[in-house]
Amino acid sequence: MLDYPHRMALEHALLVSLSERAGSGYELARRFDKSIGYFWSATHQQIYRVLKRMEDNGWVTGRAVPQAGRPDKKVYSVSDAGHGELTRWIAEPAEDVGPLRSELGVKIRAAAYGDLGELCAEVERHRALHGQRLEVYRLIEKRDFPAPDRLTGTPLYQYLVLRGGVRVEAGFIEWCDEVLAGLRRTETTAPQPDSPAER
Amino acid sequence: MLDYPHRMALEHALLVSLSERAGSGYELARRFDKSIGYFWSATHQQIYRVLKRMEDNGWVTGRAVPQAGRPDKKVYSVSDAGHGELTRWIAEPAEDVGPLRSELGVKIRAAAYGDLGELCAEVERHRALHGQRLEVYRLIEKRDFPAPDRLTGTPLYQYLVLRGGVRVEAGFIEWCDEVLAGLRRTETTAPQPDSPAER
DNA sequence: GACGGCATGTAACCAGTTACATGATTAT
DNA sequence: ATAATCATGTAACTGGTTACATGCCGTC
């Protein structure tokens, strides 16, 4: 009954989160906004489903908590088996991060078949989007980790993961700028009509 | 029959690839090693399936090509409808790139529950892996795009996408180094026993 | 009275992966 | 012999998303 096909990081992300603090599915979904969420997230439906499976596996134990006014919540805690599973999992080699699957990248690649001006606007939109996210990350960085050189243990690990998020966002933005510079150079240099390859 | 639920970039990645050069499913799978593949890839099975759907939609037309010795191949070309679909698709806003789903990130976040030395080795392994990939990208960059400032049209777009791949890999490697520095600092500073939270 | 937050869930679906099968050719 | 490359496919499954349903509370 334990031939789990070793490709399940959401389970383990939840184990980490629950190890630090017990919580309900709903809370876990919200918690994913912070730290781990930059590297792994899920919808609440997915979390509920996985949580159930984990309970069946004996990795977590759920306990219904009645609440005044609000509906009951089911608070999950990590069991000894769950703690063991987490330790076992960290020791095994990590999957390489899969391909990016950036739709914007494909559209840039396809630029010859569309309007360059519109594409630039779209790149700018994404640049702004990620700029906002980066700002949030930087804010968290300053607020929660003012002296990163003195961090140890879990706060350090949280910080390092956050740094990953910062780097990803910053890198993406730089790339957007490079793309914009490239596209605009050709736009202004050669003001040809709409479609380069007119069918 | 055409209420396609607007979340299908693989189709369009294939349309781009086939617009440049007709090819079989097998060839497309191999082509994804270059350029687009850095931002969107798929297994051959997935490509065969999608190709069939695209043929049903009338976006591509397949034509069996008998070959001496080798089995027949089915070469696909983009139809007028496919070309139109591609143009339509570029004009609509692109999905934001989803969360990273990096297992390594989750493991770093979970470092408190495992062995720090082993984790460092694992981070180094990934660093080497991406270092290799980066080297390949840089080689392609130098070989195929020696004068990027003078590029226009599709080669420029190819180059810009490749630059994205380069940035992603370089950023990842820098992050690995930052993680290693952080983890090693605590390792040597405080040589405490295995489990911080022994439960 | 409508909306948003808290809290959980079901059902249907989709994209993608893995495993396997087939069958010929060429190279070791 | 055996393995690798070319070439296509079926079947089963998994992880994840979307849509929808329920119900109570507070507030605008």
Side-chain angles (χ1 to χ4, degrees):
Chain A
M1 199 80 345
L2 41 135
D3 65 318
Y4 26 78
H6 53 284
R7 193 71 39 83
M8 28 169 85
L10 178 54
E11 272 85 339
H12 299 94
L14 291 176
L15 280 179
V16 175
S17 196
L18 287 177
S19 292
E20 287 164 11
R21 191 165 10 118
S24 67
Y26 188 89
E27 285 168 344
L28 283 165
R30 316 228 68 215
R31 243 185 252 178
F32 266 17
D33 295 344
K34 304 180 63 183
S35 198
I36 308 189
Y38 313 137
F39 280 132
W40 213 284
S41 73
T43 57
H44 64 108
Q45 290 87 344
Q46 175 73 357
I47 288 173
Y48 285 132
R49 186 200 276 157
V50 169
L51 235 26
K52 194 166 202 175
R53 189 165 64 206
M54 289 166 75
E55 197 177 14
D56 292 346
N57 282 343
W59 296 354
V60 296
T61 51
R63 175 175 62 90
V65 174
Q67 288 189 302
R70 285 185 195 72
D72 286 12
K73 63 174 171 178
K74 200 170 175 185
V75 173
Y76 290 92
S77 328
V78 180
S79 68
D80 285 1
H83 192 270
E85 166 57 25
L86 183 53
T87 307
R88 186 203 63 76
W89 174 77
I90 310 173
E92 79 180 16
E95 280 288 299
D96 191 18
V97 51
L100 284 200
R101 309 206 175 263
S102 157
E103 215 181 337
L104 189 66
V106 180
K107 284 193 180 171
I108 289 164
R109 184 52 229 272
Y113 308 98
D115 180 79
L116 265 193
E118 278 179 42
L119 182 60
C120 283
E122 188 60 13
V123 174
E124 265 176 341
R125 191 173 71 81
H126 284 261
R127 193 204 179 282
L129 214 78
H130 288 261
Q132 271 181 289
R133 213 181 294 175
L134 178 59
E135 232 177 283
V136 173
Y137 289 0
R138 289 229 190 268
L139 226 77
I140 299 176
E141 212 184 325
K142 259 186 192 148
R143 193 194 55 195
D144 295 350
F145 311 99
D149 290 349
R150 257 167 287 161
L151 291 170
T152 50
T154 296
L156 170 64
Y157 312 140
Q158 274 175 319
Y159 169 75
L160 290 174
V161 169
L162 176 61
R163 286 294 303 163
V166 168
R167 274 187 192 280
V168 168
E169 295 303 330
F172 184 86
I173 289 166
E174 283 170 40
W175 178 61
C176 284
D177 288 336
E178 192 177 342
V179 169
L180 285 171
L183 295 182
R184 289 209 175 105
R185 178 173 55 75
T186 58
E187 240 185 345
T188 51
T189 297
Q192 64 229 40
D194 278 38
S195 289
E198 190 57 293
R199 188 234 108 77
Chain B
M1 196 100 323
L2 43 134
D3 65 319
Y4 27 75
H6 53 285
R7 193 72 38 85
M8 27 171 84
L10 178 55
E11 273 83 338
H12 298 95
L14 292 176
L15 280 180
V16 176
S17 196
L18 287 177
S19 292
E20 287 164 11
R21 189 163 14 115
S24 69
Y26 189 87
E27 285 168 344
L28 283 165
R30 313 227 69 213
R31 243 185 252 177
F32 265 17
D33 295 343
K34 304 180 62 183
S35 198
I36 307 188
Y38 312 137
F39 279 133
W40 213 284
S41 72
T43 58
H44 64 109
Q45 290 87 343
Q46 175 73 358
I47 288 173
Y48 286 132
R49 186 199 276 153
V50 169
L51 234 27
K52 194 166 201 176
R53 188 164 66 208
M54 287 166 76
E55 196 178 14
D56 292 346
N57 283 342
W59 295 354
V60 296
T61 51
R63 177 175 61 90
V65 174
Q67 288 189 302
R70 285 185 195 72
D72 287 12
K73 62 174 172 179
K74 201 171 174 186
V75 173
Y76 291 91
S77 326
V78 179
S79 68
D80 286 2
H83 191 270
E85 167 56 24
L86 183 53
T87 308
R88 185 202 64 73
W89 174 76
I90 309 172
E92 80 181 13
E95 279 290 298
D96 192 16
V97 50
L100 284 202
R101 307 204 176 265
S102 157
E103 215 182 337
L104 189 66
V106 179
K107 282 192 182 173
I108 289 165
R109 186 50 232 271
Y113 307 98
D115 180 80
L116 264 194
E118 277 178 43
L119 183 60
C120 283
E122 188 60 13
V123 174
E124 265 176 341
R125 191 173 70 82
H126 283 261
R127 194 203 179 281
L129 214 78
H130 288 260
Q132 271 180 291
R133 212 180 293 174
L134 178 59
E135 232 177 282
V136 173
Y137 289 0
R138 292 230 189 265
L139 226 77
I140 299 175
E141 212 184 326
K142 261 186 191 149
R143 193 194 54 194
D144 294 351
F145 310 100
D149 290 350
R150 260 167 284 161
L151 291 170
T152 49
T154 297
L156 171 63
Y157 312 140
Q158 274 175 319
Y159 170 74
L160 290 174
V161 169
L162 176 62
R163 285 294 303 164
V166 168
R167 274 187 191 281
V168 167
E169 295 304 330
F172 185 86
I173 288 166
E174 283 171 41
W175 178 61
C176 284
D177 289 335
E178 191 176 344
V179 169
L180 285 170
L183 294 182
R184 291 212 174 104
R185 178 174 55 75
T186 59
E187 240 185 344
T188 53
T189 298
Q192 66 227 37
D194 277 39
S195 288
E198 192 56 294
R199 197 229 110 78

